[in-house]
Amino acid sequence: YPDQVTMIAVTDERYGAKSIQLPSTKEGEVIVDVDLRLDEGFTVSGQLTFGAENQPAVDETATLIQMGDNGVELVRWSQSNKSGLYSFRVGPGTYKLSLLDSTEPQVIDVTDRDLVFNRHVDRLARGTLSGRVIDEQGGGVAALVIGDSIDAAFHAGFTAESSDDGEFSTDKWND
């Protein structure tokens, strides 16, 4: 967008580079001589687990926000795999890392080595709700199922449609 400060970064699984922050540019202005130097960079990685048996937290989002000058930020996301592992490859800089239900991001400085941050929670913030909508005779029916969080600020509700046999499944907040 014009008249905004811009941060340019490399987002790749194999390479990293020190990000570059450009001053405010005018609409139509051409930016030249942007020099990103690729190297191995560094990894910020770890494992996300939950429950008493340390189960992997699958498909959970890890958020890494690079902090630039004067409040400029660049956001990256990583989804945890079937083992609960997430990973970012980055260049040197200061970042804020948020994992699972962390309320305050952790500020980290990536300067000269890989960093590992694991996170365990008793339960996941979101989960699956599934069920069946039935009529008076116990037969399944197609219906719209709507739910809303009560006294849970910033938690969106859900909407799901059941199939003709009444089955439905949706993602919802666990509280």
Side-chain angles (χ1 to χ4, degrees), residues 88-154:
F88 301 93
R89 183 162 300 278
V90 298
T94 302
Y95 299 84
K96 293 186 286 189
L97 177 65
S98 295
L99 303 173
L100 293 175
D101 65 348
S102 57
T103 56
E104 276 299 312
Q106 180 175 358
V107 177
I108 58 174
D109 286 314
V110 178
T111 55
D112 61 357
R113 62 187 169 93
D114 297 337
L115 299 172
V116 176
F117 297 93
N118 299 322
R119 176 93 168 126
H120 177 81
V121 293
D122 292 332
R123 66 183 174 94
L124 296 176
R126 296 186 63 82
T128 301
L129 173 68
S130 57
R132 186 166 184 242
V133 179
I134 57 173
D135 61 18
E136 300 84 21
Q137 291 77 35
V141 294
L144 183 63
V145 181
I146 300 173
D148 203 359
S149 296
I150 299 173
D151 295 329
F154 308 110

Side-chain angles (χ1 to χ4, degrees), residues 1 35 61 81 99 110 116 134 142 155 159 163:
Y1 295 104
D35 189 12
T61 302
N81 66 17
L99 303 173
V110 178
V116 176
I134 57 173
H155 286 191
T159 302
S163 62

